[in-house]
Amino acid sequence: MSEEFKEKLRKYSEGTLPEEERTELEQELEKLEAYQVYVDELMEREDHLSEHQEVDLSNGKSKGKGKSKRKSASAREKGIIRRGKWRARIANTFTVLAAFLAFWTISGIITAVFYSTGGRGETYSDVVSSAVAVSRPNTIVHLSSNAKFFFRMEMSGKLLKQIGGETVDVGSYSTPFLLGLGGVGKFSWTDERSGGNYYFQYPETAKNSGSLRSDGVEWRMLEKLHEGTVAEAYLSLDRLYTTDELLKKLEPLNLLPVWFAADAGQFSRERFAGTPLGFPYTPLWHADDMKVTKISEEKSGWFSKVTSSSSVSPAVESYGDGALREENFMDTLRLMQQHKKISNNVAPFIDLDESISYLGEHGVKLYGVVVTGPVKELLKLREDTWISNIRIGEVRLWNWRE
């Protein structure tokens, strides 16, 4: 095989051979394949002939030295052909392997460039973590991404809850990506109760059904818990509150608010809203919310430099800034709406368009809140008229700081 022909094969496998030369080479390869088929048939006939000659020799019917010489020459020819066949097979194998390795490397480069360009990876991570935070009461996830070959990426992280004074691990979450298309995520809970088997009651629904105080079992459960424990409680409210109004109610309590359930229309008015929509006590700041405080540049070579910056999120009063919190909630929903396919894979039960439209028209009003703290402090809420119902969630040993 000439070096010129080898070079054409290499360019052909890389896809860089001009169209005219590619057509000629493919025609030549078809001829070689036809030649190979002919050679195989020829070798089979010669093998068959050799077997008959051996039979003749064993019966004493040899025709002499001439035939012996022809047989020896034929064996040499077949050996040469066989070696040629194996060389061709090995060459084809290496060509296919080289093409596969080239595609593997190129796909890895394209994958890394795609997810890093324009902050796509960070945006997708923000969308996924936001969807978890607004659809799963008192649950957040810190994601890490792992770019793979063939344009794939996987995001995964621990699911965390605030129980008392500590953030505890309650499970894990993972979701695959193929370029900009997110796959269905997987929640793996360490305890089935952590997966959201608690609910709130919408005020009007509770009144109409006569189940305003159907939480006697929950209070008795709370009474039986040891005083040296902390718990998570889902509180349903007697009416709709603004964020500022509810924060003022919570400020005197020795409890920590962690999540607010927002009225999103008909979706929230079901008697048992097991999958409510809301926002965490600590706002979900996004890239557009951050304020850059410092930018620095450092040379890393003759013609290159590294630029770094530091930024801070807006300051929020512990029991105030309701308008800022509500606007952050709406910004989060709009971010999810821009990447609806990804959001729907995390929280398919949320109608983002309908919810955003309703909240934009009626404002953000709250009908439930998740709080956590000492059991003895939760028991003090029994006589508060602004609480219509309670559900007890996770319980842990004492970890509270006064």
Side-chain angles (χ1 to χ4, degrees):
M1 186 184 297
S2 67
E3 293 299 324
E4 181 182 357
F5 190 73
K6 290 181 180 179
E7 181 65 17
K8 284 186 178 181
L9 282 176
R10 185 184 65 79
K11 291 183 178 180
Y12 180 79
S13 66
E14 295 175 351
T16 60
L17 196 66
E19 185 64 27
E20 184 178 347
E21 294 184 26
R22 174 190 291 270
T23 303
E24 292 178 359
L25 181 63
E26 288 176 347
Q27 292 174 351
E28 187 68 23
L29 291 174
E30 288 177 0
K31 291 179 181 179
L32 290 175
E33 185 176 355
Y35 294 157
Q36 186 64 57
V37 171
Y38 174 74
V39 168
D40 288 342
E41 292 176 353
L42 183 62
M43 289 180 64
E44 288 179 2
R45 287 199 298 269
E46 289 181 351
D47 287 341
H48 185 68
L49 181 61
S50 296
E51 290 176 359
H52 282 288
Q53 288 179 343
E54 288 175 1
V55 171
D56 290 344
L57 286 170
S58 64
N59 292 329
K61 297 180 181 179
S62 173
K63 302 300 181 181
K65 294 183 178 180
K67 287 189 177 181
S68 177
K69 290 180 180 178
R70 286 197 297 272
K71 179 182 176 183
S72 176
S74 176
R76 287 196 299 272
E77 291 171 358
K78 286 191 288 184
I80 293 172
I81 292 172
R82 286 195 182 95
R83 287 194 294 272
K85 287 177 63 177
W86 278 109
R87 289 194 191 100
R89 289 169 181 169
I90 293 172
N92 290 338
T93 301
F94 276 107
T95 300
V96 172
L97 182 60
F100 177 77
L101 291 175
F103 178 71
W104 181 284
T105 303
I106 292 171
S107 72
I109 294 172
I110 294 175
T111 301
V113 170
F114 177 84
Y115 288 112
S116 61
T117 302
R120 284 193 184 95
E122 291 81 358
T123 299
Y124 295 160
S125 177
D126 192 7
V127 172
V128 172
S129 59
S130 295
V132 171
V134 302
S135 63
R136 306 279 175 169
N138 189 22
T139 304
I140 61 172
V141 60
H142 295 309
L143 295 167
S144 60
S145 58
N146 180 20
K148 300 178 179 292
F149 294 96
F150 309 122
F151 322 115
R152 297 177 299 117
M153 179 177 70
E154 182 174 290
M155 290 186 179
S156 60
K158 292 182 177 180
L159 295 166
L160 306 172
K161 278 194 171 192
Q162 184 72 34
I163 309 297
E166 293 181 353
T167 302
V168 300
D169 180 358
V170 294
S172 62
Y173 177 81
S174 62
T175 182
F177 275 84
L178 177 61
L179 294 181
L181 301 176
V184 177
K186 180 182 179 182
F187 289 88
S188 300
W189 304 97
T190 54
D191 189 327
E192 291 183 2
R193 295 180 305 168
S194 302
N197 294 328
Y198 317 113
Y199 57 85
F200 302 95
Q201 287 187 348
Y202 191 80
E204 292 181 5
T205 305
K207 290 177 182 178
N208 295 336
S209 64
S211 61
L212 191 61
R213 298 300 302 197
S214 60
D215 53 3
V217 173
E218 301 292 323
W219 287 112
R220 287 193 292 273
M221 182 190 304
L222 202 58
E223 289 175 344
K224 293 179 181 180
L225 291 175
H226 192 275
E227 187 174 314
T229 55
V230 293
E232 170 196 41
Y234 291 63
L235 306 178
S236 300
L237 310 178
D238 64 331
R239 62 177 179 85
L240 296 179
Y241 287 80
T242 66
T243 305
D244 280 326
E245 287 175 335
L246 184 54
L247 286 171
K248 292 302 179 187
K249 288 281 188 183
L250 298 169
E251 187 173 8
L253 307 177
N254 185 23
L255 296 169
L256 178 65
V258 290
W259 199 85
F260 303 103
D263 176 22
Q266 186 62 36
F267 174 77
S268 304
R269 292 186 171 88
E270 299 174 3
R271 181 176 178 184
F272 299 113
T275 52
L277 178 67
F279 56 97
Y281 172 78
T282 302
L284 298 168
W285 301 119
H286 311 291
D288 294 342
D289 300 315
M290 308 304 287
K291 181 180 179 181
V292 178
T293 57
K294 183 181 178 181
I295 299 178
S296 59
E297 295 182 353
E298 182 179 349
K299 284 189 175 183
S300 58
W302 287 101
F303 303 102
S304 61
K305 60 183 177 180
V306 176
T307 303
S308 59
S309 63
S310 58
S311 56
V312 295
S313 59
V316 182
E317 292 185 14
S318 299
Y319 290 91
D321 285 327
L324 179 61
R325 295 172 185 270
E326 293 166 5
E327 184 57 33
N328 176 255
F329 175 44
M330 295 300 296
D331 287 343
T332 300
L333 295 181
R334 284 189 282 266
L335 172 66
M336 292 169 56
Q337 188 181 39
Q338 293 173 11
H339 303 273
K340 193 181 297 184
K341 290 183 179 179
I342 297 175
S343 302
N344 287 342
N345 287 328
V346 183
F349 42 80
I350 293 178
D351 189 327
L352 285 168
D353 295 334
E354 181 181 337
S355 298
I356 291 173
S357 176
Y358 183 89
L359 290 165
E361 181 179 352
H362 297 87
V364 178
K365 299 294 189 299
L366 310 178
Y367 69 98
V369 59
V370 182
V371 298
T372 186
V375 167
K376 61 181 180 181
E377 296 295 329
L378 292 171
L379 285 169
K380 295 178 182 179
L381 302 176
R382 177 181 282 181
E383 304 304 322
D384 286 348
T385 57
W386 59 277
I387 298 174
S388 66
N389 204 277
I390 189 173
R391 289 290 180 272
I392 305 303
E394 299 276 345
V395 178
R396 292 290 190 279
L397 294 176
W398 185 266
N399 59 22
W400 191 254
R401 293 183 180 180
E402 300 292 345

